[in-house]
């Protein structure tokens, strides 16, 4: 079997398993998932484009979770508007400051994959802003968008690593 076919088969099979786990056992019964299939696939892809090795796994997970946390800070600041900035000025300022923090850390090895940081930020902000049932970034349960993205990221990256290993065995 070619390496490409082996990778396609392993990702297809494990992707189906990932979707079942996220939507089945971890589903809340109302059509919403407690795990985000799409965030898992973002982490899965990030793992591969970062090098598909142990360092890639670490950088994918660390970067995406860091991005999720920084997005949580942005969402909190936008909601609280502690500076009392008018209209769209507040969100623009809070986003600008947090995006600076998102990128400036790239000199640190675990956070050096800027796309991973951005994926975590974007997934968290997108989910929180576009999902009616999204909880607060201060909640201590799986309604918290930061926690939900973090758990989905970890599992997605681990599935990415597993699919690479399975493909390696099939492609021989």
């Amino acid at each position: 079997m070619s390496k490409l076919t082996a990778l396609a088969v392993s990702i297809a099979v494990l992707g189906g398993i990932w979707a079942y786990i996220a939507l089945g056992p971890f589903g809340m019964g109302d059509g919403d998932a407690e795990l985000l299939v799409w965030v898992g696939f973002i982490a899965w892809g990030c793992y591969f484009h970062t090098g598909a090795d142990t360092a890639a796994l670490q950088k994918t997970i660390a970067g995406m979770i860091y991005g999720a946390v920084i997005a949580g800070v942005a969402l909190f600041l936008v909601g609280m508007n502690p500076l009392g900035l008018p209209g769209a000025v507040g969100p623009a300022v809070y986003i600008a400051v947090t995006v600076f923090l998102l990128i400036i850390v790239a000199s640190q090895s675990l956070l050096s994959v800027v796309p991973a940081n951005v994926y975590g930020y974007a997934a968290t902000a997108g989910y929180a802003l576009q999902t009616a049932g999204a909880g607060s970034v201060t909640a201590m349960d799986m309604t918290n968008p930061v926690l939900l993205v973090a758990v989905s990221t970890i599992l997605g990256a681990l599935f990415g690593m597993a699919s690479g290993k399975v493909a390696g065995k099939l492609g021989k």
Side-chain angles (χ1 to χ4, degrees):
M1 179 180 307
S2 76
K3 289 182 180 186
L4 180 60
T5 301
L7 186 60
V9 168
S10 74
I11 291 176
V13 170
L14 290 174
I17 292 169
W18 162 240
Y20 173 77
I21 289 170
L23 298 172
F26 289 98
M28 295 186 293
D30 58 4
D32 294 327
E34 282 194 49
L35 295 175
L36 301 172
V37 175
W38 56 276
V39 171
F41 276 112
I42 291 170
W44 199 318
C46 186
Y47 165 78
F48 275 99
H49 91 241
T50 304
D53 57 14
T54 302
L57 180 68
Q58 294 168 345
K59 290 177 181 184
T60 293
I61 292 171
M64 285 188 65
I65 290 175
Y66 177 73
V69 168
I70 296 301
V73 170
L75 290 163
F76 180 79
L77 290 172
V78 168
M80 296 296 295
N81 193 10
L83 299 177
L85 299 170
V89 173
V93 168
Y94 303 131
I95 290 168
V97 169
T98 57
V99 168
F100 176 83
L101 297 173
L102 184 70
I103 307 305
I104 196 67
V105 299
S107 63
Q108 303 302 311
S109 180
L110 274 178
L111 301 175
S112 63
V113 180
V114 171
N117 305 0
V118 173
Y119 299 155
Y121 188 101
T124 304
Y127 175 77
L129 296 172
Q130 298 297 316
T131 305
S136 168
V137 296
T138 61
M140 293 299 170
D141 59 27
M142 288 298 282
T143 65
N144 182 327
V146 174
L147 182 57
L148 183 55
V149 168
V151 171
S152 298
T153 291
I154 292 166
L155 292 173
L158 290 171
F159 267 85
M161 181 184 70
S163 69
K165 291 187 181 301
V166 169
K169 293 193 184 303
L170 292 175
K172 290 186 179 202

